[in-house]
Amino acid sequence: MTAKLLMIAFRNMRRQLRRTILTALTFAVAVFIYTVLVAVPWSMDRIAYNASKGLRLVVTERNNGRLPARYCGPIKTLPHVLGCAPEILWGAIYRDPKDPIITYGINGDIASVTGSSDYQPPPDLVKQLLTDRRNAMVGYALMREHGWKLGEPVTLRNPSDAKLALTFIPIVEFPTEYLSRAFLFDRRMLDDAVKNIYGADIQDRASFIMVRVDSVENMGLVANEIDENFHNSDAETETTTESDSVANSVSAIGNIRTIIYSLCMVVLLTVLLIAANSMAMMVRDRIAEVAVMRALGFTRTHVALLLFAEAALIGLCGSLVGAGLALWIFSHGIRLGEITGMLGYLEVRPETAAAAVATAVLVSLASALGPVIRAMRVVPAMAFREVV
């Protein structure tokens, strides 16, 4: 019986084809927007979750001043510390000055803060990295965005001074989501260039220091010990977990999560009203049809199932188009520099699209609730009187 009702519902959709198409397109557009919006906080959550796997702490200067790279020396001697690596940030541009690329200058200590959950380059590539200072490791999203190829030189420039330009050769492409927009290079390239051009020595300067801890239980203890060790020094430290550091960078621009979810609710409410109006028109046009079905022995449950099935099919068809389009366009990820401070990107995954489709079907069923209740209350005699 259920299969027959679905077949009848599918045929009924073609009776008012223009209305059905317009309603389905409304769902398609709404689901496309909804899928993309929801993917933003979900992508942020995945980035923070991936960051938490490394058991790393991020040490910065408390007053946003200069952090000495030599701090790694005493940090390495602390209990439960497995490694320490200073890194320096360089905000460069490739071609478009409006599209900055945040690069990370590292040294050999970076190997001491990587764990089993991180991407491990093959030994031959690691050996090749050490043979040429120009060699760099770049995330796959950044490679694809700029059309870079492994082994081909890439020249980056200082946005405020074209004299400071460095040429790198990407030889490792990070395949992981967390490092999809990372650009890691030998910091000696930057140290030497700054010294030759400006006469400044920045070898002991770090933008932040990465510290790897032996277990998650000891991360808070190590963080407190680091900050206590450099308390009242010329450069006091502030130590947080890597995942908290990512979250803090995102929250610096405001409560983006609340804004996005509010927009999602507006989209869903708009679709609900449009779909409810369409369903009300459909039921009003089929009063006589419902009466005939009741006279032929169809129960109120059968009528409700038929109308709900038609609403669900319209929502399903439209949402599949919208979610499929979002998945096709954003499945490989796009830059989210303005939102996440260059720490992440937006990616629509199959599970995100599936959740959006399920949400759309529920919204379509909710929009049909009122009209279906009205149709269930119609008795054959009253319906025929309305027709006559």
Side-chain angles (χ1 to χ4, degrees):
M1 187 64 179
T2 302
K4 293 181 179 179
L5 289 175
L6 287 175
M7 184 61 66
I8 296 174
F10 183 75
R11 291 176 179 175
N12 286 339
M13 290 171 57
R14 295 181 294 177
R15 294 172 58 182
Q16 293 288 341
L17 189 58
R18 183 173 61 180
R19 181 192 300 167
T20 300
I21 292 176
L22 291 176
T23 306
L25 287 177
T26 301
F27 274 97
V29 174
V31 168
F32 176 82
I33 298 173
Y34 177 84
T35 304
V36 175
L37 287 174
V38 168
V40 174
W42 287 14
S43 296
M44 293 177 183
D45 290 340
R46 289 198 305 271
I47 292 169
Y49 174 72
N50 292 332
S52 66
K53 294 180 179 179
L55 298 179
R56 285 183 288 265
L57 299 172
V58 178
V59 182
T60 57
E61 210 282 327
R62 182 181 296 275
N63 299 313
N64 296 321
R66 297 180 179 180
L67 183 67
R70 64 178 181 274
Y71 276 12
C72 256
I75 291 177
K76 291 178 181 178
T77 63
L78 296 176
H80 309 295
V81 172
L82 300 180
C84 181
E87 300 186 29
I88 188 168
L89 296 178
W90 181 44
I93 58 173
Y94 178 52
R95 289 176 179 172
D96 188 357
K98 298 180 181 179
D99 186 16
I101 299 174
I102 305 299
T103 64
Y104 300 80
I106 61 174
N107 60 20
D109 292 333
I110 194 67
S112 67
V113 297
T114 58
S116 58
S117 62
D118 301 309
Y119 168 69
Q120 302 293 337
D124 57 332
L125 286 180
V126 175
K127 185 180 297 184
Q128 185 179 351
L129 278 170
L130 302 176
T131 60
D132 193 336
R133 293 186 181 184
R134 298 177 300 169
N135 292 336
M137 299 180 287
V138 186
Y140 73 88
L142 201 58
M143 293 282 289
R144 182 177 59 252
E145 182 179 314
H146 296 285
W148 297 339
K149 304 295 182 182
L150 292 178
E152 296 183 0
V154 174
T155 299
L156 302 181
R157 297 175 175 83
N158 191 317
S160 58
D161 189 352
K163 292 187 298 182
L164 182 55
L166 302 178
T167 300
F168 305 99
I169 301 177
I171 66 169
V172 174
E173 181 176 323
F174 291 121
T176 59
E177 180 181 26
Y178 179 52
L179 297 174
S180 63
R181 291 191 53 80
F183 192 112
L184 275 61
F185 68 96
D186 190 332
R187 67 165 295 161
R188 291 177 295 179
M189 286 277 291
L190 181 62
D191 294 343
D192 293 344
V194 171
K195 188 172 184 179
N196 293 335
I197 296 175
Y198 306 109
D201 188 356
I202 62 171
Q203 295 184 22
D204 190 42
R205 188 182 304 176
S207 301
F208 59 90
I209 294 175
M210 300 294 294
V211 179
R212 186 158 183 263
V213 184
D214 57 2
S215 66
V216 65
E217 292 79 9
N218 295 322
M219 295 189 71
L221 175 63
V222 174
N224 292 333
E225 289 182 348
I226 292 174
D227 292 340
E228 184 64 27
N229 192 46
F230 298 107
H231 185 62
N232 289 331
S233 63
D234 293 337
E236 294 187 348
T237 62
E238 183 174 1
T239 307
T240 60
T241 63
E242 189 175 10
S243 58
D244 286 344
S245 178
V246 173
N248 291 338
S249 298
V250 174
S251 63
I253 53 96
N255 195 348
I256 190 68
R257 188 183 303 274
T258 301
I259 296 174
I260 290 175
Y261 284 142
S262 298
L263 291 175
C264 289
M265 292 303 298
V266 171
V267 171
L268 293 179
L269 182 60
T270 303
V271 176
L272 181 64
L273 294 175
I274 295 175
N277 180 66
S278 179
M279 286 298 301
M281 294 172 62
M282 179 187 71
V283 171
R284 186 176 62 249
D285 293 343
R286 293 182 184 166
I287 293 295
E289 181 181 330
V290 171
V292 172
M293 293 177 62
R294 294 295 309 280
L296 292 176
F298 284 81
T299 65
R300 287 187 173 89
T301 302
H302 291 150
V303 172
L305 289 176
L306 177 62
L307 296 177
F308 275 130
E310 185 171 348
L313 286 173
I314 294 175
L316 179 62
C317 293
S319 61
L320 286 176
V321 173
L325 184 61
L327 187 62
W328 178 60
I329 296 176
F330 301 110
S331 61
H332 298 295
I334 63 169
R335 180 172 61 91
L336 279 182
E338 290 80 9
I339 296 178
T340 61
M342 297 309 206
L343 291 173
Y345 72 109
L346 178 153
E347 179 187 12
V348 175
R349 290 190 168 188
E351 56 267 28
T352 307
V357 171
T359 302
V361 172
L362 291 176
V363 170
S364 65
L365 292 174
S367 68
L369 184 59
V372 169
I373 292 176
R374 178 189 173 190
M376 292 174 64
R377 292 175 178 174
V378 173
V379 296
M382 181 176 62
F384 282 123
R385 285 198 297 269
E386 291 180 5
V387 174
V388 177

